[in-house]
Amino acid sequence: MSVQNILAPEMGQQKVTQSDITRALGDFCLIRLDNGDEAFYYNGFWLASADGESNEPSVLGLAMRAARAGGKHLRCFELPVPEDKEWCWDDVVTALACCAITRDLRGELIVTGSETRHGRGIHVCNDPLLSGINSNLWFPLNPTESWFSGIERVLMMNGVAENVVRIDSLRDCAAYHDWKVVYNRKVTH
């Protein structure tokens, strides 16, 4: 997703409420810009940030621990730095909320799938909620459902996705498969 695309003039004219921002960001959200700047939001409100150029400590650890403690999914956005030299975090979250209003919010995850003598299953990589506390949580899949259907079902069941758009193969071998999963984020009204 591009900040330049979401900061189009027609989008900036939409009235964005705090409720819109909360829906777009979710309960726990980390935003990282390509210059290393980060911001952590809880229920749509800014909690902490780090300036990448001044080597401030990352807020990722704080965000992951908070999401895990709350038993929620940590939404992560990686975006380019806004073109406006005088940008602020409010500009970024307002643009993200505009995307949510137009339902143009997509997310990506890396998912590993494996078939063993114990059955078929998937593991969501590097996600504070879906990876499990020790990064060893596997979701069993019905042997009759496709990988696509199984991944979509797990993401929808856990409130992460509205639906899966596509899965792109990253690695295929005899023991496992790795995919990049692109999904539409769940946006509630």
Side-chain angles (χ1 to χ4, degrees), residues 22 26 55 66 78 90 107 117 123 167 179 187:
T22 302
N55 292 326
E78 293 195 16
D90 188 52
R117 62 185 172 93
H123 169 72
I167 58 174
W179 299 282
V187 179

Side-chain angles (χ1 to χ4, degrees), residues 1-186:
M1 175 179 358
S2 166
V3 169
Q4 285 75 22
N5 290 344
I6 61 178
L7 288 179
E10 63 275 5
M11 296 298 278
Q13 294 175 0
Q14 286 184 343
K15 182 177 178 177
V16 175
T17 66
Q18 182 61 40
S19 181
D20 296 328
I21 291 170
T22 302
R23 272 195 302 276
L25 300 184
D27 294 324
F28 298 90
C29 179
L30 177 82
I31 303 170
R32 180 180 294 133
L33 303 181
D34 58 10
N35 66 352
D37 290 359
E38 295 176 335
F40 171 46
Y41 284 79
Y42 172 67
N43 284 330
F45 292 98
W46 177 91
L47 281 186
S49 61
D51 183 354
E53 293 179 1
S54 64
N55 292 326
E56 291 178 353
S58 172
V59 295
L60 175 61
L62 170 66
M64 289 176 69
R65 287 188 303 275
R68 183 171 288 152
K72 299 287 185 170
H73 176 73
L74 176 64
R75 287 190 182 174
C76 296
F77 295 96
E78 293 195 16
L79 303 168
V81 176
E83 290 178 354
D84 184 355
K85 299 268 187 233
E86 300 296 319
W87 70 272
C88 66
W89 285 111
D90 188 52
D91 298 335
V92 175
V93 297
T94 299
L96 287 170
C98 286
C99 285
I101 291 170
T102 61
R103 297 186 152 264
D104 188 26
L105 257 158
R106 293 244 165 115
E108 294 180 356
L109 290 169
I110 303 299
V111 175
T112 297
S114 182
E115 293 188 54
T116 69
R117 62 185 172 93
H118 301 292
R120 290 172 27 138
I122 61 168
H123 169 72
V124 180
C125 303
N126 297 321
D127 183 87
L129 177 65
L130 297 178
S131 295
I133 196 158
N134 294 321
S135 294
N136 63 356
L137 180 61
W138 285 80
F139 294 93
L141 298 185
N142 184 324
T144 61
E145 71 184 329
S146 69
W147 289 110
F148 185 96
S149 297
I151 292 168
E152 183 175 57
R153 180 178 52 78
V154 168
L155 295 181
M156 290 172 62
M157 182 187 323
N158 285 283
V160 173
E162 189 71 34
N163 66 325
V164 170
V165 176
R166 72 176 188 273
I167 58 174
D168 300 324
S169 180
L170 299 176
R171 182 177 307 147
D172 270 329
C173 51
Y176 64 92
H177 312 281
D178 286 338
W179 299 282
K180 177 172 84 170
V181 177
V182 178
Y183 62 93
N184 288 320
R185 294 184 188 280
K186 186 165 182 134

